[in-house]
Amino acid sequence: MRTLRTIAELRAALAQPRREGSRIGLVPTMGAFHEGHLSLMRRAREDNDVVVVSLFVNPTQFNEGNDLAAYPRDENRDALLASDAGVDYLFAPAVEEIYPPGFTASVSLGAITEVLEGAQRGRAHFEGVATVVTKLFNMVAPQVAYFGQKDAQQARVIKQLVHDLDMQVQIEVCPIVREPDGLAMSSRNVHLSPAEREQATALSRALRVASDLVEAGEYESDAITAAARNELDSANLDTEYFEIVDLETFAPITTIDGPALAVVAARVGSTRLIDNQQLSTKSVAGQYAGAVAAGSN
Ligand code: AMP
């Protein structure tokens, strides 16, 4: 595996494989790799001739300076893990390479970016995501890019981006990888104290409560949400939102009558965590239990 720092190096490295018609897969990340990231890389390795992983802690998508400053970084460890996962190129540019002096562009996508994460973190969050992903797609020009269902709204925003701007890249959304006790893997989990780590399991429990209720025939969002919030409150979490939303629009649903998504964001101490679970009126709870046992969702 080679680590590349500049756009010129990246383009030079990909020129020949591209000429030869190789299939190039991209996994955009912010580093501090865990099994969630590695599952995307392994999937990319299976599907492609050339695998590029970008490692860039994108300052424009952070709404809190502390969160950016405290974001875990360990490039040497990440490089070893990516190499083990069969990655060909780790693209790890400096901030000035991506945002040189005079940079002014911003990609804005409207409604889907304004609810939930967009409402909590502000409009700039998904603008930052959409702008950096647009740049990465232009730099790498991959046939396919891999994102995690863990950040369900982000994946939906990227699909909107590709659709609206006619980008020729296929978007693959990969399942959530969880710890054995259900906690969704996240780079931010390293900030949790042992007591907070225990509290944090309430997010996946609350989602489980929701999917169990749907499985049992409860389709009213108010009732489901109240039970899920109860689970979060019992663990003393500071819940930002727990909502049942439409899979496509992320707009709130009153009565579930088809595939829906339960989404949650909560603070555990000073760490902000998100998670989600697809709900369907047919047997979701069983699938969830099986997926957790298998280490993914
Ligand atoms: P990040 O480095 O947090 O920006 O994440 C990079 C990619 O990995 C994003 O597409 C995330 O959705 C994905 N990802 C993060 N955590 C997980 C997880 N637990 N399971 C699956 N994918 C994940």
Side-chain angles (χ1 to χ4, degrees):
M1 190 190 75
R2 271 179 68 201
T3 298
L4 309 172
R5 302 283 170 199
T6 67
I7 301 163
E9 276 179 312
L10 177 71
R11 290 205 164 119
L14 296 178
Q16 185 168 349
R18 203 185 312 284
R19 265 198 307 276
E20 290 167 354
S22 296
R23 185 175 161 89
I24 300 172
L26 170 67
V27 183
T29 81
M30 298 202 301
F33 295 154
H34 50 66
E35 277 299 317
H37 296 111
L38 299 179
S39 72
L40 269 51
M41 295 178 206
R42 292 188 194 113
R43 173 73 196 285
R45 181 67 285 167
E46 279 170 23
D47 295 354
N48 297 281
D49 301 311
V50 178
V51 177
V52 180
V53 170
S54 60
L55 192 178
F56 182 62
V57 183
N58 177 34
T60 65
Q61 72 189 68
F62 283 79
N63 52 311
E64 290 172 17
N66 288 347
D67 190 23
L68 174 61
Y71 201 82
R73 297 167 202 243
D74 190 346
E75 191 190 303
N76 290 337
R77 175 178 174 277
D78 285 349
L80 288 173
L81 290 171
S83 174
D84 280 354
V87 170
D88 297 301
Y89 297 107
L90 185 68
F91 177 52
V95 172
E96 308 77 57
E97 181 72 7
I98 302 298
Y99 302 117
F103 182 89
T104 57
S106 178
V107 180
S108 178
L109 290 162
I112 188 69
T113 66
E114 285 160 14
V115 295
L116 302 170
E117 288 301 284
Q120 292 293 329
R121 304 187 63 175
R123 167 183 280 270
H125 170 62
F126 282 127
E127 282 184 2
V129 170
T131 305
V132 79
V133 169
T134 299
K135 286 174 69 77
L136 288 168
F137 285 178
N138 284 337
M139 292 167 196
V140 178
Q143 275 91 342
V144 50
Y146 298 83
F147 293 86
Q149 174 66 14
K150 161 78 176 18
D151 299 279
Q153 192 179 359
Q154 171 175 276
R156 178 63 187 79
V157 166
I158 300 301
K159 286 184 175 171
Q160 187 82 33
L161 171 75
V162 165
H163 175 265
D164 285 4
L165 298 185
D166 310 302
M167 294 174 166
Q168 280 195 304
V169 52
Q170 177 189 331
I171 303 303
E172 290 292 332
V173 182
C174 301
I176 302 177
V177 179
R178 297 177 179 279
E179 300 286 355
D181 64 5
L183 178 67
M185 291 194 184
S186 163
S187 302
R188 290 186 176 86
N189 290 353
V190 297
H191 295 314
L192 301 170
S193 69
E196 289 170 344
R197 170 68 185 74
E198 180 59 37
Q199 276 179 286
T201 58
L203 275 87
S204 59
R205 274 205 310 282
L207 293 168
R208 181 65 186 273
V209 163
S211 61
D212 283 353
L213 276 171
V214 174
E215 170 80 357
E218 175 61 78
Y219 300 151
E220 293 306 316
S221 292
D222 279 355
I224 299 164
T225 301
R229 277 193 169 262
N230 201 26
E231 193 67 44
L232 296 163
D233 293 347
S234 307
N236 271 323
L237 295 197
D238 181 3
T239 304
E240 287 188 0
Y241 60 76
F242 185 102
E243 282 191 40
I244 295 172
V245 299
D246 183 273
L247 270 183
E248 271 300 298
T249 63
F250 281 66
I253 288 177
T254 312
T255 306
I256 302 173
D257 59 1
L261 196 68
V263 288
V264 59
R267 281 183 194 270
V268 187
S270 57
T271 306
R272 185 175 185 277
L273 299 176
I274 60 172
D275 199 353
N276 68 87
Q277 165 69 44
Q278 195 173 331
L279 305 173
S280 111
T281 44
K282 278 191 207 133
S283 184
V284 163
Q287 288 171 23
Y288 181 72
V292 169
S296 68
N297 169 20

